[in-house]
Amino acid sequence: MSAHSQTLRKPFPANNLARLGWVALAVYTIYALSALDITWDRFVMGLGNGAEFLGEMIPPNFERWKLLVENLIETVEIAIIASAFGITLSLPIGLMSARNLMPAWATWPARTVICVCRSFHPVIFAILFVKAVGFGPMAGILTLIFASIGFIGKLFAEAIEEISLKPVEACKAAGAPFLSVLIYAVLPQVLNRFIGFATYQFDANMRNSTMVGIVGAGGIGGTLFAAFQRFDYDFLCTILLSIIGLIMISEYLAVKVKAVFND
């Protein structure tokens, strides 16, 4: 048996370069942990502080339930309005970004818009819009519209680029206009995925609308931050429980909406 045939029988030949890479990664991880002052003692101390913090939060305080309900309603309104405008605007932008349907002069500007919308975290956009339009729900709505376009637009464009082009070519061969091609050849292939993207984005907007209020963009986030600054931990616990309940309700509604379109 030749040496060449013995080499071919090795299922997993040694890769010294890969081993060197894993060793370098392990060394850098240890260095990063020490540079960021992440130690076991701090972690154990943090567990004790966390347990004390949780103890001060219980039992939750429901005395200011009217303020809580008002903020929750405002949070839901921000999420619904932002989702409606954001998802609607994402449709044409995502379509223009699809390289298999649109020319380059249309895809590049559309993809640039999507990249800009995805470049920053919603909190950063919220800070910018608070400076632009002032404190309140309007800044939160504009923030979540941008976030929706960045997420839905990208996923919608990728979904269109994955479709089969045979129905598209058949419609074009029959002389159908572009709008008919979209309705009868493109939309049936991506409708279910788009509904899934839209319901997920609504769920994400519901969560983000509770967060952007921390920087003054409306919603329950501002009340949450104020309670934290005042060491009002029992009311803080009430707010957190209400946010969890709100997200669970939105998740339930999202499942129901998807079931309606999938049946």
Side-chain angles (χ1 to χ4, degrees):
M1 184 177 295
S2 65
H4 178 67
S5 61
Q6 289 180 350
T7 303
L8 292 178
R9 288 184 178 180
K10 291 180 180 178
F12 302 104
N15 189 334
N16 293 328
L17 186 60
R19 291 174 178 175
L20 184 62
W22 283 112
V23 171
L25 178 62
V27 172
Y28 181 76
T29 302
I30 296 172
Y31 164 76
L33 288 173
S34 61
L36 297 176
D37 194 23
I38 299 175
T39 63
W40 179 253
D41 292 337
R42 286 191 62 189
F43 177 72
V44 173
M45 186 183 300
L47 290 178
N49 294 335
E52 182 179 353
F53 178 62
L54 290 176
E56 294 179 3
M57 292 174 65
I58 299 173
N61 183 358
F62 290 93
E63 292 180 355
R64 282 167 281 177
W65 63 271
K66 289 184 179 180
L67 174 64
L68 186 66
V69 171
E70 290 175 0
N71 282 277
L72 285 176
I73 292 175
E74 185 176 88
T75 300
V76 173
E77 290 172 345
I78 291 173
I80 291 176
I81 295 173
S83 298
F85 281 96
I87 294 170
T88 303
L89 292 173
S90 300
L91 281 170
I93 295 175
L95 176 63
M96 292 179 65
S97 302
R99 296 190 182 96
N100 57 342
L101 293 181
M102 305 301 290
W105 59 265
T107 58
W108 280 108
R111 287 185 173 271
T112 301
V113 172
I114 292 175
C115 288
V116 171
C117 293
R118 294 177 57 243
S119 298
F120 302 110
H121 192 274
V123 171
I124 297 177
F125 270 124
I127 294 172
L128 296 176
F129 282 119
V130 165
K131 293 292 290 183
V133 301
F135 294 100
M138 187 174 179
I141 291 171
L142 293 173
T143 297
L144 299 184
I145 287 176
F146 268 66
S148 301
I149 293 174
F151 182 76
I152 298 291
K154 178 178 174 57
L155 293 181
F156 190 49
E158 292 180 351
I160 294 176
E161 289 179 345
E162 294 173 358
I163 65 172
S164 171
L165 292 179
K166 292 181 179 178
V168 176
E169 294 170 355
C171 286
K172 288 182 178 179
F178 184 68
L179 183 60
S180 297
V181 172
L182 294 179
I183 295 174
Y184 297 107
V186 177
L187 191 59
Q189 298 189 63
V190 298
L191 180 60
N192 285 338
R193 295 181 68 180
F194 180 72
I195 292 170
F197 299 152
T199 53
Y200 178 79
Q201 185 59 42
F202 175 72
D203 186 62
N205 283 344
M206 192 70 77
R207 290 194 300 271
N208 291 331
S209 64
T210 65
M211 182 175 57
V212 296
I214 293 176
V215 294
I220 201 170
T223 307
L224 173 71
F225 188 59
F228 188 79
Q229 285 187 311
R230 294 196 307 266
F231 306 102
D232 197 357
Y233 295 139
D234 52 355
F235 186 51
L236 178 68
C237 180
T238 306
I239 296 173
L240 294 178
L241 291 175
S242 64
I243 292 175
I244 293 172
L246 189 65
I247 299 303
M248 292 178 68
I249 292 173
S250 70
E251 176 69 18
Y252 175 78
L253 293 177
V255 172
K256 290 297 182 183
V257 170
K258 290 175 67 176
V260 168
F261 286 95
N262 290 330
D263 287 342

